[in-house]
Amino acid sequence: MMQDVQAAREQGLLTNRPFVRLWVAQALTQTAQNGIFFVLMVMIAEATGSTTHLSLLVFSTILPSVVFGLAAGVVVDRHSKKTILVVANLLRAALVLGYLGAGDTLALVYLVNLLFSSASQFFAPAELATIALLVPKNQLMKANGLFNMTFIAAQFAGLVFPVPVL
């Protein structure tokens, strides 16, 4: 990995293979995460017609950031970022199956969403901290800009792609 990073110092940002892999992972996972949230909102609105139930979904998404936000940063600083990224993504992939298994049982949907959002709290800081490890200092602003742009594009894509399925 160090050889790839060393080679990237002399090349452009998009020729840095470790960075590109992280960037593609970010694009895919953020799009999926936003798509899942959109589908859940539509599903709950159609099933219940209740703004209270939509509020519970939003609450189960936001609560982990309040509970784990600061702790996640500390965990990421003290442990392997690569391991955290892999484990968090594997947990989130498994929890997608939990959404499918929850069916129409809203309490299970909220619980799975709470767990999914909790795993995401550890993924995001590990992802951002990894950028600085993979990209030379002179390309860091470009890399962060690309990640921010991709984050916004993934929000849009997560809202657009599920629509034909629904």
Side-chain angles (χ1 to χ4, degrees), residues 66-150:
V66 174
V67 174
F68 297 118
L70 292 174
V74 172
V75 169
V76 167
D77 283 344
R78 295 185 179 185
H79 295 87
S80 164
K81 286 145 194 57
K82 182 177 181 178
T83 301
I84 292 170
L85 288 170
V86 170
V87 169
N89 259 348
L90 289 174
L91 283 171
R92 294 191 312 173
L95 288 165
V96 168
L97 299 175
Y99 284 122
L100 298 174
D104 293 336
T105 310
L106 292 181
L108 283 176
V109 171
Y110 300 141
L111 176 63
V112 171
N113 195 57
L114 187 72
L115 295 171
F116 186 91
S117 295
S118 296
S120 298
Q121 289 305 308
F122 292 88
F123 182 82
E127 180 181 59
L128 293 174
T130 302
I131 296 172
L133 299 174
L134 299 178
V135 174
K137 208 174 210 177
N138 66 336
Q139 294 178 345
L140 198 53
M141 189 179 299
K142 289 179 192 176
N144 284 328
L146 187 58
F147 261 72
N148 286 332
M149 185 179 71
T150 303

Side-chain angles (χ1 to χ4, degrees), residues 46-69:
E46 286 181 354
T48 67
S50 167
T51 56
T52 301
H53 283 281
L54 286 173
S55 297
L56 287 172
L57 176 67
V58 171
F59 183 72
S60 69
T61 303
I62 294 173
L63 182 62
S65 65
V66 174
V67 174
F68 297 118

Side-chain angles (χ1 to χ4, degrees), residues 19 22-28 30-31 34 143-157:
F19 171 78
L22 182 67
W23 177 50
V24 169
Q26 181 228 14
L28 294 174
Q30 284 293 325
T31 301
N34 289 307
N144 284 328
L146 187 58
F147 261 72
N148 286 332
M149 185 179 71
T150 303
F151 179 78
I152 293 166
Q155 287 178 323
F156 176 74

